[in-house]
């Protein structure tokens, strides 16, 4: 079996309509609006489209990372490029800015049905007319109606911009929503989450993290359960992109039974993120109760057989099946826009996790026996172990002459003592600094 890689290779627009229980008069306060559920949340930008675009970039882009067989194995259809071209240029999206960006990247010029520059300009003109009509509704609502109607009109512009205009225009439109007076914390969180999706759609991770951080602070002060629950998923995926996988795993697990954030990702993808982050950080007992035996996860394991095999093989100590599953997991990582940036990191951590769990059962073991358990050659295993031992990821040493791997577990009490001394020094330094400040 070839060893798994360890490094990176290289619609109509929804309006959030207030409930019938709200007072529709001009004097009605905005902060009485209910939570926007995932059903009433804006469909745009379409995150399924963002996933499709990513899959095309890694298969037919300038620097493809998946070949035809790997693309087929992870379920990327052969006609995806044509479908995305039609979707971006069709009435459902009609985004000339995005179309131009993808036209060269994905080789649309040579494909039948590719829109010409004249057609894209006509699309832009049509979008300009639509935008002007929406702006007129804002003016009419300002003059003739109340705050709620103005808010709805502004949201309509922002959602149209998220669908058919550029990233900067969409973010600017949401800024205008957020600048409205008397905006409730709930509606502010809604606008921030939709704005974060715009940033995420265009892979602006810095802007995305900044917006989500602002929404999270606001959610602590106010906001209902549904918004806080959905915001957890936004926050978790942002942390995943920042490689804070441990905190992301905790947030994702909290939302398994109450997931309602379908505008950001499908439940199947959400479970994949949860399982991959959990396998890296959860103790074996928690992995068993929360992931392997979790009723919500068990309901869809048939849809994600490779990820399920990976987790079960590690728990069952079937290291040959575990490493074989890793080979099949790699294309899944590359084909996902949230996992691909850290596919090399995840593969390394999965290797370390498997080797560490195996070695924890032995004081010493022969290279040949360990290689047989993992289904790889001794030379490959020796190279892998040497790298991880040198990096301080495995507490073991390899006797190349004797062909033996000896574990070198640190003494727990000494480690706790050193940890206590280090934390004590830090605490004393902080107390001394505080004392100097008080003296002044």
């Amino acid at each position: 079996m070839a060893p798994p890689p360890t490094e990176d290779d290289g619609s109509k627009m929804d309006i959030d309509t207030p409930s019938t229980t709200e007072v529709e008069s001009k004097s009605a306060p905005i902060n009485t609006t209910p939570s926007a559920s995932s059903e009433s949340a804006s469909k745009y930008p379409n995150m399924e489209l963002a996933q499709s675009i990513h899959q095309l970039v890694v298969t037919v882009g300038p620097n493809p990372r998946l070949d035809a067989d790997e693309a087929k194995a992870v379920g990327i259809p052969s006609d995806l490029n044509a479908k995305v071209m039609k979707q971006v240029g069709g009435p459902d999206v009609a985004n000339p800015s995005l179309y131009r960006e993808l036209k060269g990247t994905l080789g649309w010029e040579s494909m039948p049905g590719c829109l010409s520059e004249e057609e894209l300009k006509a699309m832009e003109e049509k979008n300009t007319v639509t935008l002007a009509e929406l702006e007129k509704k804002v003016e009419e609502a300002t003059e003739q109606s109340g705050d709620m109607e103005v808010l709805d009109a502004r949201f309509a512009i922002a959602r149209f911009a998220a669908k058919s205009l550029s990233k900067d225009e969409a973010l600017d439109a949401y800024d205008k929503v957020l600048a409205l007076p008397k905006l409730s914390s709930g509606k502010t969180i809604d606008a921030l989450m939709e704005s974060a999706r715009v940033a995420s759609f265009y892979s602006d991770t810095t802007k995305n993290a900044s917006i989500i951080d602002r929404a999270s602070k606001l959610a602590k002060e106010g906001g209902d359960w549904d918004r806080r629950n959905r915001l957890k998923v936004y926050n978790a995926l942002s942390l995943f992109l920042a490689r804070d996988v441990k905190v992301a795993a905790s947030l994702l697990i909290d939302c398994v039974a109450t997931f309602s954030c379908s505008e950001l990702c499908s439940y199947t993808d959400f479970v994949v993120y949860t399982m991959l982050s959990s396998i890296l950080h959860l103790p074996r007992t928690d992995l068993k109760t929360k992931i392997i035996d979790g009723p919500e996860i068990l309901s869809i394991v048939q849809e994600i057989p490779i990820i399920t095999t990976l987790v079960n093989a590690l728990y069952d100590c079937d290291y040959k099946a575990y490493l074989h599953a890793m080979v099949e997991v790699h294309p899944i990582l590359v084909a996902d826009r949230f996992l691909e940036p850290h596919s090399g990191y995840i593969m390394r951590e999965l290797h370390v996790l498997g080797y560490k769990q195996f070695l924890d059962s032995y004081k010493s073991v022969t290279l040949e026996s360990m290689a047989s358990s993992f289904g790889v050659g001794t030379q490959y295993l020796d190279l892998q172990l040497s790298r991880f031992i040198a990096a301080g990821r495995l507490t073991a040493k390899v006797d190349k002459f004797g062909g033996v791997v000896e574990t070198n577990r640190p003494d727990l009490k000494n480690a706790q003592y050193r940890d206590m001394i280090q934390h004590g020094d830090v605490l004393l330094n902080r107390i001394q600094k505080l004392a100097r400040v008080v003296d002044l």
Side-chain angles (χ1 to χ4, degrees):
M1 182 188 71
T6 58
E7 302 288 344
D8 284 316
D9 301 319
S11 126
K12 289 182 181 178
M13 191 160 20
D14 278 4
I15 301 298
D16 191 6
T17 309
S19 71
T20 56
T21 59
E22 291 178 7
V23 181
E24 296 183 354
S25 67
K26 185 174 181 177
S27 60
I30 295 179
N31 60 2
T32 60
T33 54
S35 167
S37 68
S38 60
E39 288 80 10
S40 62
S42 172
K43 295 182 176 70
Y44 299 102
N46 187 335
M47 303 309 287
E48 289 183 10
L49 175 60
Q51 189 78 291
S52 297
I53 292 172
H54 171 79
Q55 291 174 347
L56 289 174
V57 169
V58 298
T59 51
V60 299
N63 300 298
R65 296 189 57 196
L66 295 178
D67 57 31
D69 291 337
E70 290 173 322
K72 184 178 180 180
V74 296
I76 300 176
S78 58
D79 61 344
L80 182 61
N81 206 0
K83 287 182 178 179
V84 169
M85 182 179 71
K86 185 177 180 180
Q87 185 177 3
V88 175
D92 285 347
V93 179
N95 192 323
S97 173
L98 179 61
Y99 198 100
R100 287 192 183 96
E101 183 181 344
L102 298 175
K103 190 175 180 179
T105 304
L106 302 180
W108 289 353
E109 297 97 332
S110 60
M111 294 173 59
C114 179
L115 299 180
S116 64
E117 185 59 31
E118 290 74 19
E119 290 173 307
L120 291 175
K121 287 181 179 178
M123 189 187 298
E124 283 181 333
E125 292 172 1
K126 185 177 179 180
N127 288 344
T128 301
V129 171
T130 303
L131 186 60
E133 293 173 352
L134 292 171
E135 287 285 1
K136 187 177 180 180
K137 290 182 180 180
V138 173
E139 295 175 5
E140 292 174 352
T142 304
E143 296 172 358
Q144 304 171 13
S145 304
D147 294 331
M148 181 58 67
E149 289 75 14
V150 174
L151 175 63
D152 289 344
R154 274 293 169 202
F155 260 118
I157 292 176
R159 289 165 177 173
F160 172 75
K163 175 176 76 79
S164 299
L165 303 183
S166 67
K167 179 188 79 170
D168 292 337
E169 290 172 307
L171 292 175
D172 181 64
Y174 277 107
D175 286 340
K176 290 179 180 179
V177 173
L178 294 166
L180 290 173
K182 302 180 183 178
L183 192 63
S184 70
S185 60
K187 286 297 183 182
T188 302
I189 293 171
D190 289 342
L192 287 171
M193 285 195 291
E194 292 182 21
S195 183
R197 280 166 53 206
V198 172
S200 177
F201 184 93
Y202 290 97
S203 301
D204 189 344
T205 55
T206 302
K207 183 69 175 178
N208 180 50
S210 174
I211 295 171
I212 292 174
D213 182 60
R214 180 181 172 187
S216 298
K217 291 177 180 177
L218 192 61
K220 292 178 181 178
E221 302 170 1
D224 54 46
W225 177 88
D226 178 68
R227 287 185 174 101
R228 291 198 301 270
N229 188 58
R230 288 165 55 211
L231 189 56
K232 279 185 180 181
V233 182
Y234 281 78
N235 201 12
L237 293 183
S238 177
L239 290 169
F240 211 124
L241 286 172
R243 203 176 281 188
D244 192 348
V245 182
K246 186 174 184 179
V247 178
S250 176
L251 291 172
L252 291 169
I253 290 172
D254 285 347
C255 298
V256 167
T258 57
F259 178 81
S260 62
C261 197
S262 56
E263 76 275 11
L264 187 61
C265 65
S266 68
Y267 186 64
T268 301
D269 287 342
F270 168 80
V271 170
V272 170
Y273 305 145
T274 303
M275 294 178 75
L276 285 174
S277 58
S278 297
I279 192 177
L280 296 177
H281 291 288
L282 278 188
R284 279 177 59 84
T285 52
D286 289 343
L287 188 68
K288 176 69 171 174
T289 57
K290 296 180 179 181
I291 302 299
I292 296 176
D293 292 340
E296 294 83 10
I297 293 178
L298 285 174
S299 66
I300 67 161
V301 291
Q302 300 300 323
E303 301 176 34
I304 47 174
I306 296 173
I307 304 296
T308 303
T309 299
L310 179 79
V311 176
N312 287 333
L314 179 69
Y315 184 81
D316 296 336
C317 301
D318 186 350
Y319 299 107
K320 188 176 294 186
Y322 175 71
L323 223 59
H324 188 275
M326 283 180 61
V327 176
E328 297 178 313
V329 161
H330 184 254
I332 295 175
L333 301 179
V334 174
D336 188 281
R337 63 192 304 266
F338 289 107
L339 301 175
E340 187 271 338
H342 307 301
S343 57
Y345 163 79
I346 294 172
M347 293 299 290
R348 286 195 302 273
E349 293 303 306
L350 289 174
H351 272 100
V352 171
L353 187 64
Y355 295 147
K356 185 176 184 301
Q357 180 172 292
F358 179 89
L359 291 172
D360 281 346
S361 303
Y362 298 92
K363 186 174 182 179
S364 65
V365 62
T366 64
L367 266 174
E368 186 176 352
S369 174
M370 186 173 178
S372 176
S373 295
F374 281 90
V376 296
T378 55
Q379 187 174 359
Y380 171 80
L381 181 62
D382 180 35
L383 177 63
Q384 288 280 289
L385 293 178
S386 299
R387 290 175 55 205
F388 292 132
I389 291 170
R393 302 304 310 280
L394 294 175
T395 54
K397 60 182 180 180
V398 178
D399 180 357
K400 190 68 177 289
F401 180 78
V404 175
V405 182
E406 298 179 359
T407 58
N408 182 26
R409 300 184 187 87
D411 184 270
L412 181 59
K413 287 187 178 180
N414 286 336
Q416 290 175 335
Y417 175 75
R418 287 193 298 269
D419 188 57
M420 182 184 68
I421 294 297
Q422 289 173 354
H423 282 78
D425 286 340
V426 171
L427 179 60
L428 286 174
N429 288 334
R430 289 178 178 174
I431 293 173
Q432 289 172 352
K433 289 179 181 179
L434 179 62
R436 286 195 294 268
V437 171
V438 173
D439 289 341
L440 292 176

